[in-house]
Amino acid sequence: MPTTISVGYAHVAIYGFMAVLCVTLLLAFQRKPALAWLTASLFIATAEVLLLARLTSEGAKLLLAICCVPVAYACIGQTTRHLYAQRRTPRAFHALIAAIVAAGWAALLAGLPALVAVMMFNLACAVAVAETPWRIARARVLRPIDWALFVAVTGTGAVFVARLVLYPLLFDAHRDLAAITGSDIDRALLAVNGLLAGPIVLLLIARVVAGVIAGYRDRSERDPLTGLANRTAFERLAVQAMRGNGALILCDLDHFKQVNDRYGHSVGDAVLRRFAVLLRETGLNAARIGGEEFALIAAERGEIEATFIAENLRQRLSSSHFEAIDADHVLTASFGVAGFQPHASLQSLIDEADSALYTSKNEGRDRVTLHTPNLVREAEPQRYLAEA
């Protein structure tokens, strides 16, 4: 984005290309407010460059810059707001920017020293830019791309702050506008902002695309009914957890087919969603790996602690009340727990937890069983009896 009234046609090609790229991505992804705001910022920057080239008066150029540049940076602030899913910007913040812009216009039109209007321009830009690094700093998780964006935008803001500090020292009140904008210091600071503008936009585009890809991946690994991880995601999460110690909890809702047959599939779906809420409240990685089969990965937890977690879930489910289900119909679940150590076999772990689960089912359901070595030998008979 242009940062002073002295710009070149090279900016038109750069900002125009990026604006077209943003529009293309916006049409492809749809419903991405971050891209819409970024596109608006680029169109404002491109329009300003084209208009500046047609103006001959330094005062008219400054008036245009005062109007456009802070607005473009405010749009960047809205881009980051949507990127990091944060609250709306307070109206007072935008009102402050508008007030500074109005003061710059008034100073220029009233014939006050050019330095006053230049200072208002830089102050408005500095305030508008400040929203972006502030929002990045408040993000829950910062990745390398976020840090790079933070540094680039902070650098841009620092240029405006430097002008606010240096210009009153370097230029007296009688210096005309052309002398200020044509000075070596102004050209140098403009060059810095020019170098930072492109990377900022590219980093924002990359951040949007990365977020879209992550969203598609999350949806592909998410069970649509319960919102829990699906089988594919469960296996990936389990392999990651098995780099250390922990435990696996498998659970199965008892006689769930009777719920569907007696009350209908919509009630059965509601039961699955409620049970998923209970699983999420444990704070562990939870997954739906079958129709009424679920798994919990207790990374860095001992098997005894995992057993207590499973028992707590069992009790909470059996004491839960469902309006659509008869009061005398108690919903229960069976649990199997198996511990693991670093780099164990995932399939062996699943088999161990599965054998414990079928022991729970074979011994009457609505219970928690911890895997022990002799359960492995009994696993197949248990499975046969449980499924009979």
Side-chain angles (χ1 to χ4, degrees), residues 21-22 25-26 29-39 78-80 82-84 145-146 149 200-216:
L21 177 60
C22 286
L25 293 173
L26 187 61
F29 295 144
Q30 299 180 352
R31 297 182 180 179
K32 290 297 174 186
L35 273 176
W37 283 107
L38 182 57
T39 302
Q78 294 307 296
T79 300
T80 54
H82 287 284
L83 275 179
Y84 299 102
I145 190 173
D146 300 309
L149 182 59
I200 288 173
V201 175
L202 291 177
L203 286 168
L204 287 169
I205 293 174
R207 185 63 175 75
V208 170
V209 173
V212 171
I213 293 173
Y216 286 147

Side-chain angles (χ1 to χ4, degrees), residues 3 62-63 65-71 73 96-109 112-129 160-161 163-165 167-168 177 180:
T3 55
L62 182 56
L63 283 174
I66 292 175
C67 289
C68 293
V69 181
V71 174
Y73 281 116
L96 174 62
I97 296 174
I100 299 171
V101 168
W105 263 62
L108 199 59
L109 295 176
L112 295 179
L115 182 60
V116 176
V118 170
M119 295 295 285
M120 291 298 101
F121 165 75
N122 285 287
L123 180 59
C125 291
V127 173
V129 170
F160 292 115
V161 173
R163 287 188 175 123
L164 290 171
V165 174
Y167 282 20
L177 186 58
I180 296 175

Side-chain angles (χ1 to χ4, degrees), residues 4-171:
T4 72
I5 59 174
S6 180
V7 291
Y9 279 107
H11 290 95
V12 175
I14 295 173
Y15 300 136
F17 169 76
M18 290 181 177
V20 171
L21 177 60
C22 286
V23 170
T24 304
L25 293 173
L26 187 61
L27 293 174
F29 295 144
Q30 299 180 352
R31 297 182 180 179
K32 290 297 174 186
L35 273 176
W37 283 107
L38 182 57
T39 302
S41 176
L42 289 169
F43 273 123
I44 291 171
T46 304
E48 186 208 359
V49 172
L50 290 173
L51 290 173
L52 284 172
R54 295 178 178 274
L55 297 175
T56 57
S57 167
E58 293 296 324
K61 291 180 179 181
L62 182 56
L63 283 174
L64 178 64
I66 292 175
C67 289
C68 293
V69 181
V71 174
Y73 281 116
C75 290
I76 293 294
Q78 294 307 296
T79 300
T80 54
R81 175 175 80 85
H82 287 284
L83 275 179
Y84 299 102
Q86 296 176 359
R87 293 182 179 181
R88 290 185 177 182
T89 306
R91 293 181 179 178
F93 182 79
H94 289 152
L96 174 62
I97 296 174
I100 299 171
V101 168
W105 263 62
L108 199 59
L109 295 176
L112 295 179
L115 182 60
V116 176
V118 170
M119 295 295 285
M120 291 298 101
F121 165 75
N122 285 287
L123 180 59
C125 291
V127 173
V129 170
E131 180 179 6
T132 297
W134 177 74
R135 288 194 176 279
I136 297 173
R138 294 178 66 244
R140 294 179 180 178
V141 179
L142 290 178
R143 300 176 179 84
I145 190 173
D146 300 309
W147 283 111
L149 182 59
F150 178 85
V151 171
V153 177
T154 302
T156 298
V159 170
F160 292 115
V161 173
R163 287 188 175 123
L164 290 171
V165 174
L166 295 176
Y167 282 20
L169 301 176
L170 298 175
F171 306 110

